[in-house]
Amino acid sequence: MKQEDFLKERSGNTCELSGGTNDLVVYEVPFSNKSNDINAILITKKCLDQIEKREEPDSAFWEKILPMSMWSEIPAVQMVSWRMLNRFRNESWAAGALDMIYLEDDVLEWAKASGDHLNDGSVQLHKDSNGNILQNGDTVTLIKDLDVKGSSLNAKIGTAVRNIRLVHDNHEQIEGKVAGQMIVILTKFVKKQ
């Protein structure tokens, strides 16, 4: 049986975290058990985007589902629930749930391997001047004339920059080609098309 089919059967074709039935995807739980256990869960795209920090975390959404999903008998679901609770640990509902959650020692060890319990849980997303989230491959428009450092190029307001790349270690910068030259652009000077 294929893994996806197994997960659909195990979950009743619902998200193993939220119980949702739309846009289901298989999520391979990173830093998890290396035994023969299934280390994947079936979740909605919304859960996936927030787990992988591609979307702003929605505390109200997780407050409704984590206090239930943390009691799952499936180690991978327990791990993801614990990791997400730790992202919201400064909120009373999550702190209370973390006080109650029980994980076997080996499951807790695997859950801690992600390092989520060490971070503040904030998500740094690349956003344009209007607050829209930018993704690799997007097209943006310059909202200001920009002088390109180290070049005589002047990128004019209204110039479209296609197929941008996000600068991985700086959420305030993107890369894109202007007049055939690859440049770094501050996100505050662009708007998403």
Side-chain angles (χ1 to χ4, degrees), residues 68-69 72 93 99 114 147 157 177 189:
M68 291 183 294
S69 67
S72 172
W93 66 267
D99 286 342
S114 71
D147 290 325
I157 188 172
K177 279 192 177 183
F189 296 133

Side-chain angles (χ1 to χ4, degrees), residues 12-166:
N13 212 23
T14 61
C15 174
E16 294 184 271
L17 294 172
S18 70
T21 57
N22 295 330
D23 298 323
L24 296 174
V25 294
V26 174
Y27 174 60
E28 293 284 340
V29 181
F31 308 107
S32 59
N33 175 357
K34 304 294 185 226
S35 72
N36 292 331
D37 291 344
I38 298 290
N39 294 318
I41 59 176
L42 193 65
I43 59 175
T44 62
K45 179 140 178 19
K46 177 177 178 141
C47 288
L48 178 67
D49 288 344
Q50 292 195 20
I51 289 168
E52 295 191 339
K53 299 183 178 182
R54 292 188 296 231
E55 188 177 288
E56 295 271 357
D58 182 352
S59 176
F61 171 75
W62 291 104
E63 182 179 7
K64 293 176 188 170
I65 65 175
L66 289 175
M68 291 183 294
S69 67
M70 70 184 205
W71 299 113
S72 172
E73 294 179 7
I74 300 163
V77 175
Q78 293 172 353
M79 281 188 271
V80 172
S81 297
W82 184 87
R83 290 172 182 173
M84 291 305 295
L85 282 168
N86 271 282
R87 290 190 191 171
F88 296 103
R89 68 182 167 276
N90 293 330
E91 298 189 28
S92 61
W93 66 267
L98 281 168
D99 286 342
M100 292 188 308
I101 193 170
Y102 174 77
L103 301 178
E104 295 289 338
D105 290 341
D106 57 339
V107 176
L108 181 59
E109 181 181 323
W110 297 322
K112 286 182 176 180
S114 71
D116 273 351
H117 63 294
L118 302 173
N119 302 326
D120 65 1
S122 63
V123 177
Q124 299 292 329
L125 299 172
H126 288 74
K127 293 184 180 181
D128 72 0
S129 59
N130 296 324
N132 298 313
I133 297 173
L134 299 172
Q135 301 287 336
N136 283 319
D138 282 348
T139 298
V140 296
T141 304
L142 300 180
I143 63 167
K144 176 182 176 178
D145 287 346
L146 301 174
D147 290 325
V148 179
K149 290 182 181 178
S151 170
S152 60
L153 179 65
N154 183 305
K156 298 289 184 194
I157 188 172
T159 300
V161 182
R162 294 175 188 1
N163 199 23
I164 64 166
R165 289 191 308 225
L166 307 180

